[in-house]
Coordinates of all heavy atoms in Angstrom, one line a residue:
M63 N -25.6 -1.5 91.4 CA -25.5 -2.6 92.4 C -24.3 -3.5 92.0 O -24.2 -3.9 90.8 CB -26.8 -3.4 92.5 CG -26.7 -4.6 93.4 SD -28.0 -5.8 93.4 CE -29.5 -4.9 92.9
S64 N -23.5 -3.8 92.9 CA -22.4 -4.7 92.6 C -22.9 -6.2 92.7 O -23.8 -6.5 93.3 CB -21.2 -4.5 93.6 OG -21.6 -4.9 94.9
L65 N -22.2 -7.0 91.9 CA -22.5 -8.4 91.9 C -22.2 -9.1 93.3 O -21.2 -8.7 93.9 CB -21.7 -9.2 90.8 CG -22.0 -8.8 89.4 CD1 -21.1 -9.5 88.4 CD2 -23.5 -9.0 89.1
L66 N -23.0 -10.0 93.7 CA -22.8 -10.7 94.9 C -22.3 -12.1 94.6 O -23.1 -13.0 94.1 CB -24.1 -10.8 95.7 CG -24.8 -9.5 96.1 CD1 -26.2 -9.7 96.7 CD2 -23.9 -8.8 97.1
W67 N -21.0 -12.3 94.7 CA -20.3 -13.5 94.2 C -20.4 -14.7 95.2 O -20.4 -14.5 96.4 CB -18.9 -13.2 93.9 CG -18.7 -12.2 92.9 CD1 -18.6 -10.8 93.0 CD2 -18.7 -12.4 91.5 NE1 -18.5 -10.2 91.8 CE2 -18.5 -11.1 90.8 CE3 -18.8 -13.5 90.7 CZ2 -18.5 -11.0 89.5 CZ3 -18.7 -13.4 89.3 CH2 -18.6 -12.1 88.7
F68 N -20.3 -15.9 94.6 CA -20.1 -17.1 95.5 C -19.2 -18.0 94.7 O -19.0 -17.9 93.5 CB -21.5 -17.8 95.8 CG -22.4 -18.1 94.7 CD1 -22.1 -19.2 93.8 CD2 -23.5 -17.4 94.5 CE1 -23.0 -19.5 92.8 CE2 -24.4 -17.7 93.4 CZ -24.1 -18.8 92.6
S69 N -18.7 -19.0 95.5 CA -17.7 -19.9 94.9 C -17.8 -21.3 95.6 O -18.1 -21.3 96.8 CB -16.3 -19.4 95.1 OG -15.4 -20.2 94.5
P70 N -17.7 -22.4 94.9 CA -17.4 -22.5 93.5 C -18.7 -22.3 92.7 O -19.8 -22.2 93.2 CB -16.9 -24.0 93.4 CG -17.6 -24.7 94.5 CD -17.7 -23.7 95.6
R71 N -18.4 -22.2 91.4 CA -19.6 -22.0 90.4 C -20.5 -23.2 90.5 O -20.1 -24.3 90.8 CB -19.1 -21.9 89.0 CG -18.3 -20.7 88.7 CD -17.7 -20.8 87.3 NE -16.8 -19.7 87.0 CZ -17.2 -18.6 86.3 NH1 -18.3 -18.5 85.8 NH2 -16.3 -17.6 86.2
V72 N -21.8 -23.0 90.2 CA -22.7 -24.0 90.0 C -23.0 -24.2 88.5 O -23.4 -23.2 87.9 CB -24.1 -23.7 90.7 CG1 -25.1 -24.8 90.5 CG2 -23.8 -23.6 92.2
Y73 N -22.7 -25.3 88.0 CA -22.9 -25.5 86.5 C -24.3 -26.1 86.2 O -24.7 -27.0 86.9 CB -21.8 -26.5 86.0 CG -20.5 -25.8 86.0 CD1 -19.6 -25.9 87.1 CD2 -20.1 -25.0 84.9 CE1 -18.4 -25.3 87.1 CE2 -18.9 -24.4 84.9 CZ -18.0 -24.5 86.0 OH -16.8 -23.9 86.0
V74 N -24.9 -25.5 85.2 CA -26.3 -25.9 84.8 C -26.3 -26.0 83.3 O -25.5 -25.4 82.6 CB -27.3 -24.9 85.3 CG1 -27.4 -24.9 86.8 CG2 -27.1 -23.5 84.8
K75 N -27.3 -26.7 82.8 CA -27.5 -26.8 81.4 C -27.9 -25.5 80.8 O -28.7 -24.8 81.3 CB -28.5 -27.9 81.1 CG -28.2 -29.3 81.5 CD -29.3 -30.2 81.2 CE -29.0 -31.6 81.8 NZ -30.2 -32.5 81.7
A76 N -27.3 -25.2 79.7 CA -27.7 -23.9 79.0 C -28.8 -24.3 78.0 O -29.1 -25.4 77.7 CB -26.5 -23.3 78.2
N77 N -29.4 -23.3 77.4 CA -30.5 -23.5 76.4 C -30.0 -24.2 75.2 O -30.8 -24.9 74.5 CB -31.1 -22.1 76.0 CG -31.9 -21.5 77.1 OD1 -32.3 -22.2 78.0 ND2 -32.0 -20.2 77.1
R78 N -28.7 -24.1 74.8 CA -28.2 -24.8 73.6 C -27.6 -26.1 74.0 O -26.9 -26.2 75.0 CB -27.1 -23.9 73.0 CG -27.7 -22.7 72.3 CD -26.7 -21.8 71.6 NE -25.4 -22.4 71.5 CZ -24.4 -21.6 71.2 NH1 -24.5 -20.3 71.0 NH2 -23.2 -22.2 71.1
P79 N -27.9 -27.2 73.3 CA -27.4 -28.5 73.6 C -25.8 -28.5 73.7 O -25.2 -27.9 72.9 CB -27.9 -29.4 72.5 CG -29.0 -28.7 71.9 CD -28.8 -27.2 72.1
G80 N -25.3 -29.2 74.7 CA -23.9 -29.4 74.8 C -23.2 -28.2 75.5 O -22.0 -28.2 75.7
I81 N -23.9 -27.2 75.9 CA -23.3 -26.0 76.5 C -23.6 -26.0 78.0 O -24.7 -26.3 78.4 CB -23.9 -24.7 75.8 CG1 -23.7 -24.7 74.3 CG2 -23.3 -23.5 76.5 CD1 -22.2 -24.6 73.9
R82 N -22.5 -25.7 78.7 CA -22.7 -25.6 80.2 C -22.6 -24.1 80.6 O -21.8 -23.4 80.0 CB -21.5 -26.3 80.9 CG -21.1 -27.5 80.4 CD -19.7 -28.0 80.9 NE -19.5 -27.9 82.3 CZ -19.7 -28.8 83.3 NH1 -20.3 -29.9 83.0 NH2 -19.4 -28.6 84.5
H83 N -23.3 -23.8 81.6 CA -23.3 -22.4 82.1 C -22.8 -22.4 83.6 O -23.5 -23.1 84.4 CB -24.6 -21.7 81.9 CG -24.7 -20.3 82.4 ND1 -24.1 -19.3 81.8 CD2 -25.3 -19.8 83.5 CE1 -24.3 -18.2 82.4 NE2 -25.0 -18.5 83.5
G84 N -21.8 -21.8 83.9 CA -21.3 -21.7 85.3 C -21.8 -20.4 85.9 O -21.5 -19.3 85.5
V85 N -22.6 -20.6 87.0 CA -23.2 -19.5 87.7 C -22.3 -19.2 88.9 O -22.1 -20.1 89.7 CB -24.7 -19.8 88.1 CG1 -25.3 -18.6 88.9 CG2 -25.5 -20.1 86.9
S86 N -21.9 -18.0 89.1 CA -21.0 -17.6 90.2 C -21.5 -16.4 91.0 O -20.7 -15.9 91.8 CB -19.6 -17.4 89.7 OG -19.6 -16.3 88.7
H87 N -22.7 -15.9 90.7 CA -23.2 -14.8 91.5 C -24.7 -14.8 91.6 O -25.4 -15.5 90.8 CB -22.7 -13.4 90.9 CG -22.9 -13.2 89.5 ND1 -24.1 -12.9 88.9 CD2 -22.1 -13.4 88.4 CE1 -24.0 -12.8 87.6 NE2 -22.8 -13.1 87.3
I88 N -25.2 -14.0 92.5 CA -26.7 -14.0 92.8 C -27.5 -13.6 91.6 O -28.5 -14.2 91.3 CB -27.0 -13.1 94.0 CG1 -26.1 -13.5 95.2 CG2 -28.5 -13.2 94.4 CD1 -26.2 -14.9 95.7
E89 N -27.0 -12.6 90.9 CA -27.8 -12.1 89.8 C -27.9 -13.2 88.7 O -29.0 -13.3 88.1 CB -27.1 -10.8 89.2 CG -27.2 -9.6 90.1 CD -26.1 -9.6 91.2 OE1 -25.4 -10.5 91.4 OE2 -26.1 -8.6 91.9
G90 N -26.8 -13.9 88.5 CA -26.9 -15.0 87.5 C -27.8 -16.1 87.9 O -28.5 -16.7 87.1
A91 N -27.8 -16.4 89.2 CA -28.6 -17.4 89.8 C -30.1 -17.0 89.6 O -30.9 -17.8 89.1 CB -28.3 -17.7 91.2
A92 N -30.4 -15.8 89.9 CA -31.8 -15.3 89.7 C -32.2 -15.4 88.3 O -33.4 -15.8 88.0 CB -31.9 -13.9 90.2
E93 N -31.4 -15.0 87.3 CA -31.7 -15.1 85.9 C -32.0 -16.5 85.5 O -32.9 -16.8 84.7 CB -30.6 -14.5 85.1 CG -30.5 -13.0 85.1 CD -29.3 -12.4 84.3 OE1 -28.7 -13.2 83.5 OE2 -28.9 -11.3 84.5
E94 N -31.1 -17.4 85.9 CA -31.3 -18.8 85.6 C -32.6 -19.3 86.1 O -33.4 -20.0 85.4 CB -30.1 -19.7 86.1 CG -28.9 -19.5 85.3 CD -29.0 -20.1 83.9 OE1 -29.7 -21.1 83.7 OE2 -28.4 -19.5 83.0
L95 N -32.9 -19.1 87.4 CA -34.1 -19.6 88.0 C -35.4 -19.1 87.2 O -36.3 -19.9 87.1 CB -34.2 -19.1 89.5 CG -33.2 -19.7 90.4 CD1 -33.1 -18.9 91.7 CD2 -33.7 -21.2 90.7
M96 N -35.4 -17.9 86.8 CA -36.5 -17.3 86.1 C -36.7 -18.0 84.7 O -37.9 -18.0 84.2 CB -36.4 -15.8 85.9 CG -36.5 -15.0 87.2 SD -38.0 -15.2 88.0 CE -37.5 -16.1 89.5
A97 N -35.7 -18.6 84.2 CA -35.8 -19.2 82.9 C -36.2 -20.7 82.9 O -36.5 -21.3 81.9 CB -34.4 -19.1 82.1
W98 N -36.2 -21.3 84.1 CA -36.5 -22.7 84.2 C -38.0 -23.0 84.0 O -38.8 -22.3 84.5 CB -36.0 -23.3 85.5 CG -34.5 -23.3 85.6 CD1 -33.6 -22.9 84.7 CD2 -33.8 -23.5 86.8 NE1 -32.3 -23.0 85.2 CE2 -32.4 -23.4 86.5 CE3 -34.1 -23.9 88.1 CZ2 -31.4 -23.6 87.5 CZ3 -33.1 -24.1 89.1 CH2 -31.8 -23.9 88.7
D99 N -38.3 -24.2 83.4 CA -39.6 -24.6 83.3 C -40.1 -25.3 84.6 O -41.2 -25.2 85.0 CB -39.8 -25.6 82.2 CG -39.6 -24.9 80.8 OD1 -39.9 -23.8 80.7 OD2 -39.1 -25.6 79.9
T100 N -39.2 -26.0 85.3 CA -39.5 -26.7 86.5 C -39.4 -25.8 87.7 O -38.3 -25.3 87.9 CB -38.6 -28.0 86.7 OG1 -38.7 -28.8 85.5 CG2 -38.9 -28.7 87.9
K101 N -40.5 -25.6 88.4 CA -40.5 -24.7 89.5 C -41.1 -25.4 90.7 O -42.3 -25.2 91.1 CB -41.3 -23.4 89.1 CG -40.6 -22.7 88.0 CD -41.3 -21.4 87.6 CE -40.4 -20.6 86.7 NZ -40.9 -20.4 85.4
G102 N -40.3 -26.2 91.4 CA -40.7 -26.9 92.6 C -40.4 -26.2 93.8 O -40.1 -25.0 93.8
P103 N -40.5 -26.9 95.0 CA -40.3 -26.2 96.3 C -38.9 -25.7 96.5 O -38.7 -24.7 97.1 CB -40.6 -27.3 97.3 CG -41.1 -28.5 96.6 CD -41.0 -28.2 95.1
K104 N -37.9 -26.4 95.9 CA -36.5 -25.9 96.0 C -36.3 -24.7 95.2 O -35.5 -23.8 95.5 CB -35.5 -27.0 95.7 CG -35.6 -28.1 96.8 CD -34.6 -29.3 96.5 CE -34.8 -30.3 97.6 NZ -34.0 -31.5 97.4
W105 N -37.0 -24.6 94.0 CA -36.9 -23.4 93.2 C -37.5 -22.2 94.0 O -36.9 -21.2 94.0 CB -37.7 -23.7 91.9 CG -37.8 -22.5 91.0 CD1 -36.9 -22.2 90.0 CD2 -38.8 -21.4 91.0 NE1 -37.3 -21.0 89.4 CE2 -38.4 -20.5 90.0 CE3 -39.9 -21.2 91.8 CZ2 -39.1 -19.4 89.7 CZ3 -40.6 -20.0 91.5 CH2 -40.2 -19.1 90.5
T106 N -38.6 -22.4 94.6 CA -39.2 -21.3 95.4 C -38.3 -20.9 96.5 O -38.1 -19.6 96.7 CB -40.5 -21.8 96.0 OG1 -41.4 -22.3 95.0 CG2 -41.2 -20.7 96.8
K107 N -37.6 -21.8 97.2 CA -36.7 -21.4 98.2 C -35.5 -20.7 97.6 O -35.0 -19.7 98.2 CB -36.2 -22.7 99.0 CG -35.3 -22.3 100.2 CD -35.0 -23.6 101.0 CE -34.1 -23.2 102.2 NZ -33.8 -24.3 103.0
A108 N -35.0 -21.1 96.5 CA -33.9 -20.4 95.9 C -34.2 -19.0 95.4 O -33.4 -18.1 95.6 CB -33.4 -21.3 94.7
V109 N -35.4 -18.8 94.9 CA -35.8 -17.5 94.5 C -35.9 -16.6 95.7 O -35.4 -15.5 95.7 CB -37.2 -17.5 93.7 CG1 -37.7 -16.1 93.6 CG2 -37.0 -18.2 92.4
Q110 N -36.5 -17.1 96.8 CA -36.6 -16.3 98.0 C -35.2 -16.0 98.6 O -35.0 -14.9 99.1 CB -37.4 -17.0 99.1 CG -37.7 -16.1 100.3 CD -38.4 -14.8 100.0 OE1 -39.5 -14.8 99.4 NE2 -37.8 -13.7 100.4
S111 N -34.3 -16.9 98.5 CA -32.9 -16.7 99.0 C -32.2 -15.6 98.1 O -31.5 -14.8 98.7 CB -32.1 -18.0 98.9 OG -32.6 -18.9 99.8
C112 N -32.5 -15.6 96.8 CA -31.9 -14.5 96.0 C -32.4 -13.1 96.4 O -31.7 -12.2 96.6 CB -32.2 -14.7 94.5 SG -31.3 -16.1 93.8
V113 N -33.7 -13.1 96.6 CA -34.3 -11.8 97.1 C -33.7 -11.4 98.4 O -33.4 -10.2 98.6 CB -35.9 -12.0 97.2 CG1 -36.5 -10.7 97.9 CG2 -36.5 -12.2 95.8
D114 N -33.6 -12.4 99.4 CA -33.1 -12.1 100.7 C -31.6 -11.6 100.6 O -31.2 -10.7 101.3 CB -33.2 -13.3 101.6 CG -34.6 -13.6 102.0 OD1 -35.5 -12.7 101.9 OD2 -34.9 -14.7 102.5
A115 N -30.8 -12.2 99.6 CA -29.4 -11.8 99.5 C -29.4 -10.4 98.9 O -28.5 -9.6 99.4 CB -28.7 -12.7 98.5
F116 N -30.2 -10.0 98.0 CA -30.2 -8.7 97.5 C -30.5 -7.6 98.6 O -30.1 -6.5 98.5 CB -31.3 -8.5 96.4 CG -31.0 -9.2 95.1 CD1 -31.9 -9.9 94.4 CD2 -29.7 -9.1 94.5 CE1 -31.6 -10.6 93.2 CE2 -29.4 -9.7 93.3 CZ -30.3 -10.4 92.7
K117 N -31.3 -8.1 99.6 CA -31.6 -7.2 100.7 C -30.6 -7.3 101.8 O -30.8 -6.6 102.9 CB -33.0 -7.5 101.2 CG -34.1 -7.2 100.2 CD -35.5 -7.5 100.8 CE -36.6 -7.2 99.8 NZ -37.9 -7.5 100.3
G118 N -29.6 -8.1 101.6 CA -28.5 -8.2 102.6 C -28.9 -9.1 103.8 O -28.2 -9.1 104.8
R119 N -29.9 -10.0 103.6 CA -30.4 -10.8 104.7 C -29.7 -12.2 104.8 O -29.7 -12.8 105.8 CB -31.9 -11.0 104.6 CG -32.7 -9.8 104.8 CD -34.2 -10.1 104.7 NE -34.9 -8.8 104.8 CZ -36.1 -8.7 104.3 NH1 -36.7 -9.6 103.6 NH2 -36.7 -7.5 104.4
V120 N -29.2 -12.6 103.7 CA -28.5 -13.9 103.7 C -27.2 -13.7 102.8 O -27.1 -12.9 101.9 CB -29.3 -15.1 103.1 CG1 -30.5 -15.3 103.9 CG2 -29.7 -14.8 101.6
P121 N -26.1 -14.5 103.2 CA -24.9 -14.4 102.4 C -25.0 -15.1 101.1 O -25.8 -16.1 100.9 CB -23.9 -15.1 103.4 CG -24.7 -16.0 104.2 CD -26.0 -15.4 104.3
P122 N -24.2 -14.7 100.1 CA -24.2 -15.3 98.8 C -23.9 -16.8 98.9 O -24.5 -17.6 98.1 CB -23.1 -14.6 98.1 CG -23.0 -13.3 98.7 CD -23.3 -13.5 100.2
Q123 N -23.1 -17.3 99.8 CA -22.8 -18.7 99.9 C -24.1 -19.6 100.2 O -24.2 -20.7 99.7 CB -21.7 -19.0 100.9 CG -20.9 -20.2 100.6 CD -20.2 -20.2 99.2 OE1 -19.8 -19.2 98.7 NE2 -20.0 -21.4 98.7
E124 N -24.9 -19.0 101.0 CA -26.2 -19.7 101.3 C -27.1 -19.8 100.0 O -27.7 -20.8 99.8 CB -26.9 -19.0 102.4 CG -28.2 -19.7 102.8 CD -28.9 -19.0 104.0 OE1 -28.2 -18.5 104.9 OE2 -30.1 -18.9 104.0
V125 N -27.1 -18.8 99.3 CA -27.8 -18.8 98.0 C -27.3 -19.9 97.1 O -28.0 -20.6 96.4 CB -27.8 -17.4 97.3 CG1 -28.5 -17.5 96.0 CG2 -28.5 -16.4 98.2
R126 N -26.0 -20.0 97.0 CA -25.3 -21.0 96.2 C -25.8 -22.4 96.5 O -26.2 -23.2 95.7 CB -23.8 -20.9 96.4 CG -23.1 -21.9 95.4 CD -21.7 -22.3 96.0 NE -21.2 -23.3 95.1 CZ -21.5 -24.6 95.1 NH1 -22.5 -25.0 95.9 NH2 -21.0 -25.5 94.3
E127 N -25.9 -22.7 97.8 CA -26.4 -24.0 98.3 C -27.8 -24.3 97.8 O -28.1 -25.4 97.3 CB -26.2 -24.1 99.8 CG -24.8 -24.1 100.3 CD -24.6 -24.0 101.8 OE1 -25.6 -24.2 102.5 OE2 -23.5 -23.7 102.2
V128 N -28.7 -23.3 98.0 CA -30.1 -23.6 97.7 C -30.3 -23.5 96.1 O -31.1 -24.2 95.6 CB -31.1 -22.7 98.4 CG1 -31.1 -22.9 99.9 CG2 -30.8 -21.2 98.1
F129 N -29.5 -22.7 95.5 CA -29.5 -22.7 94.0 C -29.1 -24.1 93.4 O -29.7 -24.6 92.5 CB -28.6 -21.6 93.4 CG -28.6 -21.6 91.9 CD1 -29.7 -21.3 91.2 CD2 -27.4 -21.9 91.3 CE1 -29.6 -21.2 89.8 CE2 -27.3 -21.9 89.9 CZ -28.4 -21.6 89.1
E130 N -28.0 -24.6 94.0 CA -27.6 -26.0 93.5 C -28.7 -27.0 93.8 O -28.9 -27.9 92.9 CB -26.3 -26.4 94.2 CG -25.7 -27.7 93.8 CD -24.4 -28.1 94.4 OE1 -23.5 -27.2 94.3 OE2 -24.3 -29.2 94.9
A131 N -29.3 -27.0 94.9 CA -30.4 -27.9 95.2 C -31.5 -27.8 94.2 O -32.1 -28.7 93.8 CB -30.9 -27.7 96.7
A132 N -31.9 -26.5 93.9 CA -32.9 -26.3 93.0 C -32.6 -26.8 91.6 O -33.4 -27.3 90.8 CB -33.3 -24.8 92.9
A133 N -31.3 -26.6 91.2 CA -30.8 -27.1 89.9 C -30.9 -28.6 89.8 O -31.4 -29.1 88.8 CB -29.4 -26.6 89.6
K134 N -30.6 -29.3 90.9 CA -30.8 -30.7 90.9 C -32.2 -31.1 90.8 O -32.6 -32.0 90.1 CB -30.1 -31.3 92.2 CG -28.6 -31.2 92.1 CD -28.0 -31.7 93.4 CE -26.5 -31.5 93.4 NZ -25.8 -31.9 94.7
E135 N -33.1 -30.4 91.5 CA -34.5 -30.7 91.5 C -35.1 -30.5 90.1 O -35.9 -31.3 89.6 CB -35.3 -29.8 92.5 CG -36.8 -29.9 92.5 CD -37.4 -28.8 93.3 OE1 -37.3 -27.6 93.0 OE2 -38.0 -29.2 94.3
A136 N -34.6 -29.5 89.4 CA -35.1 -29.2 88.0 C -34.3 -30.0 86.9 O -34.6 -29.9 85.7 CB -34.9 -27.7 87.7
S137 N -33.4 -30.9 87.3 CA -32.7 -31.7 86.4 C -31.8 -30.9 85.4 O -31.7 -31.3 84.3 CB -33.6 -32.7 85.7 OG -34.2 -33.6 86.6
V138 N -31.3 -29.8 85.9 CA -30.4 -28.9 85.0 C -29.0 -28.9 85.6 O -28.2 -28.3 85.0 CB -31.0 -27.5 84.8 CG1 -32.3 -27.6 84.1 CG2 -31.1 -26.8 86.1
Y139 N -28.8 -29.5 86.7 CA -27.5 -29.4 87.4 C -26.5 -30.3 86.6 O -26.8 -31.4 86.1 CB -27.6 -30.0 88.8 CG -26.3 -30.0 89.5 CD1 -25.7 -28.9 90.1 CD2 -25.6 -31.3 89.6 CE1 -24.5 -29.0 90.7 CE2 -24.4 -31.3 90.3 CZ -23.8 -30.2 90.8 OH -22.6 -30.3 91.4
L140 N -25.3 -29.7 86.5 CA -24.2 -30.5 85.8 C -23.0 -30.5 86.8 O -22.7 -29.5 87.5 CB -23.7 -29.8 84.5 CG -24.8 -29.7 83.4 CD1 -24.3 -28.8 82.3 CD2 -25.1 -31.1 82.9
S141 N -22.3 -31.7 86.9 CA -21.2 -31.8 87.8 C -20.1 -30.8 87.4 O -20.0 -30.6 86.2 CB -20.7 -33.2 87.9 OG -20.3 -33.6 86.7
P142 N -19.3 -30.3 88.3 CA -18.2 -29.4 88.0 C -17.2 -29.9 87.0 O -16.6 -29.1 86.3 CB -17.6 -29.1 89.3 CG -18.5 -29.5 90.4 CD -19.4 -30.6 89.7
G143 N -16.9 -31.2 87.0 CA -15.9 -31.7 86.2 C -16.3 -32.1 84.9 O -16.2 -32.0 83.8

């Protein structure tokens, strides 16, 4: 399966302090979501969006938007700059 890319990247906190992780595709977003401790309503929507994108039901850019919202909800979002 080829990667389903989106742009711009969504930056989130990595497991190591001081490290940023830039997510730019659906597979990376799904991996990040599964690793988070905080799993609220926006997390649930982001996971479902990833599944839907894998099935060709939603475009990658839509997943990016809900992934960013979930990252903010989980307090792992980092600004791009």
